[in-house]
Amino acid sequence: MGGRDVPLLKGMPMIWLPRFPTGGTRMKAALSSAAALSLALGLSACGDAARSDADKSEAVSTSLPKGWSRLAGQDVARLENPGVQRLPVAARGDDGVTVEIRDTSRTIAGGDDIIEMFDALGRSSDIFAAPKESATETGRGARHRYLLNRATGAEGVLSLKGTVFFGNSSQRHSRLSAQLRAAGTPAIVIDSGQPAPARIRRIAAAIGLADAGEQLARKVEAQYAQAAAIAKTVSRKPRVIQLSATGAGGHPAVLGVGAPSSRLIAIAGGTDIGTEIGVKGASPLSPEGMVQAGPEVIVMTETDLKTFGGEEGLLKSYPTLAQTPAIIDGRVFIMPDLQLKTGGIASGAGVVALARAFAALDFE
């Protein structure tokens, strides 16, 4: 098998990559459609008439291109009784600052993973302000929706008059949190780059529900272990790439080291291409680099698919994707944002769905 030096990432040195042939690596015909994948996973394919039952299936066949599938894990960890909230608590954030949290009734959430935690712990009504791009029902229904990006200033956040700010990125939220604290608003950062069970425990403890957080974390750990066990039964690891429509400063990107999804891909038994080629967080990929990376599977979130503009928009952003095994053989998995991208509670269900989907692939 030959190879060549190519500029894989824009602005990076030349990196040698082997050529991955498209012939001989196609899925068997029986697995080339979303409906067949549903059968292989022992799941039901739901159309418009059964849309209310979609959450019972891990693969839902809708109006996607041939071979593309929607994967949605059916067993997102939940608690029947989260218990009584106990405040105040002193919690240490990933920016090294310990904060006393006395009131979560007007929480300003820095991301959907934070909102997801509040939902699971019975504190949905505490989400007072959420990012405009929130993919959660609670976030979309929050009293305030605000623009949260690298340019977001403390003044705008302070004007919301929240009781606490929860950030999820040391890189993006540490400076903002320091400014909020200086103005008298408690602010804590719990970075999304760490494993989900650890984050679940820390966020739950920070809002006065440590015992409930421990229960949730154990449920998610069990799902991670289930996915890892499924992955061990598969001898061939698919080469997987996750694409984001806005990850590189609002531009299309490949995700890699530090992205929660990269960890999930590895646990599920895939080879994460972004990690393999040295992407840290998110980075654009050159057209030639995309071909040489040879993705056999593409994963992306529902929001990213919509932002790309479906298949047409995706191939407009990355024209050379059409030359890769993933597109040629129709192996594209679309997943709920919370199950793939945010690295929270729903990632446990997501990683099991991914492991089952990878295990169902059959390469000739």
Side-chain angles (χ1 to χ4, degrees):
M1 179 174 62
R4 62 182 299 194
D5 289 325
V6 297
L8 214 54
L9 302 179
K10 293 180 180 179
M12 282 187 62
M14 304 290 273
I15 300 175
W16 187 90
L17 276 179
R19 292 185 181 276
F20 291 88
T22 57
T25 63
R26 293 176 179 268
M27 247 175 146
K28 287 183 176 178
L31 293 174
S32 64
S33 69
L37 178 61
S38 298
L39 180 62
L41 298 178
L43 303 165
S44 60
C46 305
D48 290 338
R51 191 122 3 225
S52 62
D53 293 328
D55 60 340
K56 298 178 183 178
S57 174
E58 288 189 1
V60 181
S61 178
T62 60
S63 56
L64 292 174
K66 183 178 180 180
W68 292 33
S69 303
R70 282 188 165 91
L71 299 180
Q74 58 184 347
D75 295 318
V76 177
R78 294 180 176 86
L79 292 180
E80 293 297 327
N81 181 16
V84 178
Q85 186 182 42
R86 300 185 184 279
L87 295 175
V89 297
R92 183 179 177 84
D94 287 324
D95 55 358
V97 179
T98 298
V99 179
E100 183 177 70
I101 299 174
R102 306 185 66 86
D103 182 2
T104 63
S105 64
R106 297 197 306 277
T107 294
I108 302 171
D112 279 347
D113 52 335
I114 303 296
I115 297 171
E116 178 193 31
M117 277 295 304
F118 276 68
D119 284 341
L121 295 171
R123 309 299 303 185
S124 300
S125 61
D126 286 354
I127 300 299
F128 183 67
K132 285 185 176 180
E133 68 274 14
S134 176
T136 67
E137 182 178 349
T138 297
R140 291 191 296 267
R143 182 171 177 179
H144 297 287
R145 305 283 298 282
Y146 70 105
L147 180 64
L148 182 63
N149 56 31
R150 295 178 186 274
T152 300
E155 296 80 7
V157 178
L158 287 169
S159 71
L160 298 172
K161 300 187 183 302
T163 55
V164 63
F165 171 79
F166 271 84
N168 65 357
S169 170
S170 297
Q171 183 178 5
R172 297 194 305 272
H173 300 156
S174 291
R175 183 170 178 270
L176 173 62
S177 294
Q179 293 172 336
L180 295 176
R181 288 191 296 265
T185 297
I188 185 170
V189 179
I190 300 179
D191 201 282
S192 62
Q194 60 196 282
R199 297 184 64 247
I200 291 168
R201 290 183 172 97
R202 293 182 62 197
I203 294 171
I207 64 176
L209 289 164
D211 291 344
E214 181 63 30
Q215 294 176 56
L216 274 175
R218 289 181 180 180
K219 287 176 180 285
V220 174
E221 285 173 336
Q223 291 174 316
Y224 277 40
Q226 180 184 357
I230 294 171
K232 287 181 180 179
T233 68
V234 181
S235 59
R236 189 191 190 290
K237 290 187 174 184
R239 294 178 56 76
V240 185
I241 196 165
Q242 191 202 337
L243 301 178
S244 168
T246 58
H251 301 287
V254 172
L255 302 186
V257 178
S261 54
S262 297
R263 185 179 295 111
L264 300 185
I265 289 168
I267 293 171
T271 295
D272 178 56
I273 290 175
T275 298
E276 180 184 70
I277 64 178
V279 171
K280 293 184 179 179
S283 177
L285 192 63
S286 70
E288 188 175 22
M290 182 66 76
V291 175
Q292 294 302 312
E296 297 169 322
V297 175
I298 295 168
V299 295
M300 74 179 78
T301 66
E302 290 280 3
T303 296
D304 281 319
L305 177 63
K306 180 179 179 181
T307 304
F308 271 121
E311 180 189 27
E312 181 179 352
L314 175 64
L315 294 180
K316 184 176 180 180
S317 296
Y318 284 113
T320 54
L321 266 181
Q323 303 173 42
T324 67
I327 295 296
I328 292 171
D329 296 336
R331 293 189 293 265
V332 181
F333 298 147
I334 309 302
M335 299 185 67
D337 292 51
L338 291 177
Q339 292 194 19
L340 179 66
K341 201 170 186 178
T342 60
I345 297 167
S347 68
V351 75
V352 172
L354 268 179
R356 289 175 176 166
F358 292 169
L361 297 175
D362 193 354
F363 298 92
E364 293 182 341

